[in-house]
Amino acid sequence: MPHRTRRLPRLPLLALAAVIGAGAAVGAVTPASAAPTTGAVTIAAPAQVADGAAFDATVTFAAVTDVYAYEATFTFDPAVVSYVDGSATAPAGGFDTVRTSAGSVEVVHTRLGTSPALSGAVSFTLRFTAEAPGATAIALSSLRLIDTATGSTTAADVAATPSITVTAAPATGPGSGSGSTPTTAPAGDPGSGTSTGSGSTRESSLASTGQDVLPWLGGGAVLLLAGVGALLLTATRRRRMGGAR
């Protein structure tokens, strides 16, 4: 059954040495045992994160035996990700000391003087921040296990995550293509530069007005012709009457 973990701050190396010394004193009166061992080791982390985002890498020892302390060194590309200071967790009943340098994190865990050695599944986490687009793996490049009798087991290139890809953060704000769409004036509005298909509203109104006056113009022409005809008829009659006299 996995041990519960709790997040702990850094402690001075002198305190760590004192606790390991206490463990060694206990081991001096304990019968010698086989060197500590661990089963499969895995490191789980997301395959892809956005630039600037934080994420956890979870380290799991499948089955350890008689582990009183361990020293684990993790490596990664510091141009792509960085370790979040103070983020390492520790199995309950112990504490961690963390040392960092460019591209590496060394976690030293030890049990308290009265805590039993670790056995079974053990897990802990480290938090990282994506620094720039790129790809990197987080690797457990070296691991040292120490038992209650100060016996140790050392291994190199123990485990690593698949390549973690850091993608560029989505662009936001002006110029990112997500701005508002320019507004346009309603069709037919003066100065809008848009047409209504067969002409502007004003032109349509004038055309309609011209069609409305045509009947009046036609009626006026008929009346004018009738008046001219009446004048001609009157003049003709007067000429005839003058000739008869």
Side-chain angles (χ1 to χ4, degrees), residues 28 40 45 73 95 103-104 112 122 147 156 159 161-162 187 190 209-210 219-220 238-239:
T73 301
F95 62 85
S104 71
L112 297 175
V122 174
D147 63 17
T161 66
T209 303
R238 287 179 177 178
R239 288 176 184 175

Side-chain angles (χ1 to χ4, degrees), residues 147-203:
D147 63 17
T148 53
T150 68
S152 66
T153 301
T154 302
D157 299 327
V158 180
T161 66
S163 182
I164 301 169
T165 301
V166 175
T167 59
T172 58
S176 65
S178 60
S180 60
T181 302
T183 57
T184 57
D189 187 23
S192 67
T194 59
S195 66
T196 57
S198 60
S200 68
T201 303
R202 184 177 181 182
E203 292 171 346

